[in-house]
């Protein structure tokens, strides 16, 4: 019997790879995106804190409550915890609302997924996003999608209580800290 069975792994966090991605940088990146699908990928990660590709790829047009300004997000990564961890509701900020509206307007009739390319198995979003960031004149940050999500969290905690932000992100306040 292995003596390590039952032990939880230590944190794999590497603070040297953490970057805050400011709104100005995101505006430049969004301006260089070749399609509304790419603007949706960047916008959903940065403005709504969605995990990419899983949560972005699973988001459907039916998950958007336009009247209340909310997204319903299904989180496969945390659904095994049960309860609130499988599904969460996230606010739609004004910048994201514009991107979502453009995406909805350009979607094929009867389209279900908000970002079809993110739902395809084996799609390499990272390499293409690196090119978009470089085209926008910015240095590529180390953890592309995780840093966008963390930057969203940073902005939110400046305006909302940490327990609310943690719920929007799909984890406990302890994990958020």
């Amino acid at each position: 019997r292995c003596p390590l069975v039952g032990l939880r792994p230590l944190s794999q966090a590497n603070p040297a790879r953490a970057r805050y991605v400011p709104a100005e940088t995101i505006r430049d990146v969004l301006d260089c995106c070749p399609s509304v699908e790419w603007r949706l990928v960047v916008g959903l990660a940065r403005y709504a804190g969605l995990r990419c590709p899983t949560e972005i790829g699973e988001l459907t047009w039916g998950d958007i409550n336009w009247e209340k300004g909310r997204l319903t997000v299904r989180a496969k990564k945390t659904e095994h915890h049960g309860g609130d961890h499988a599904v969460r509701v996230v606010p739609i900020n004004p910048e994201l609302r514009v991107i979502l509206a453009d995406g909805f307007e350009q979607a094929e009739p009867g389209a279900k997924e908000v970002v079809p390319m993110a739902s395809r198995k084996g799609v390499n979003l990272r390499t293409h996003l690196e090119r978009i960031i470089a085209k926008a004149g910015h240095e590529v940050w180390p953890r592309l999608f995780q840093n966008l999500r963390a930057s969203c969290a940073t902005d939110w905690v400046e305006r909302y209580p940490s327990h609310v932000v943690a719920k929007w992100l799909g984890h406990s306040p302890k994990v958020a800290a």
Side-chain angles (χ1 to χ4, degrees):
R1 177 164 155 90
C2 177
L4 301 178
V5 169
L7 291 179
R8 294 184 62 162
L10 297 176
S11 172
Q12 298 296 310
N14 181 350
R17 293 173 40 102
R19 295 284 189 291
Y20 176 79
V21 184
E24 303 78 39
T25 300
I26 291 305
R27 281 193 284 279
D28 293 344
V29 170
L30 288 168
D31 287 344
C32 288
C33 285
S35 68
V36 71
E37 258 192 300
W38 272 105
R39 289 192 302 278
L40 284 162
V41 167
V42 172
L44 288 164
R46 180 57 178 81
Y47 296 131
L50 270 62
R51 292 176 179 97
C52 187
T54 55
E55 293 174 350
I56 291 174
E58 293 175 9
L59 190 68
T60 68
W61 292 113
D63 294 328
I64 300 171
N65 184 325
W66 297 98
E67 294 77 33
K68 291 185 178 180
R70 303 280 183 256
L71 300 173
T72 299
V73 180
R74 284 157 191 68
K76 285 202 183 287
K77 181 176 181 178
T78 56
E79 71 183 353
H80 64 279
H81 294 295
D84 295 355
H85 297 282
V87 177
R88 65 185 193 275
V89 178
V90 178
I92 299 172
N93 77 3
E95 294 89 348
L96 180 57
R97 187 177 189 90
V98 169
I99 299 167
L100 287 167
D102 287 347
F104 186 74
E105 191 175 294
Q106 293 182 33
E108 295 290 325
K112 184 179 177 190
E113 289 104 359
V114 174
V115 187
M117 72 176 177
S119 66
R120 290 195 284 271
K121 299 288 182 211
V123 67
N124 183 351
L125 298 175
R126 179 179 179 79
T127 301
H128 200 75
L129 182 55
E130 287 174 343
R131 290 183 192 125
I132 295 169
I133 294 166
K135 182 179 177 186
H138 292 279
E139 186 177 323
V140 174
W141 47 90
R143 301 175 71 217
L144 287 184
F145 296 107
Q146 294 91 339
N147 289 160
L148 291 176
R149 180 172 152 80
S151 297
C152 175
T154 298
D155 289 350
W156 280 346
V157 296
E158 290 178 357
R159 297 178 56 206
Y160 305 101
S162 61
H163 71 281
V164 172
V165 172
K167 189 170 185 175
W168 290 341
L169 292 169
H171 43 64
S172 70
K174 182 179 176 184
V175 168

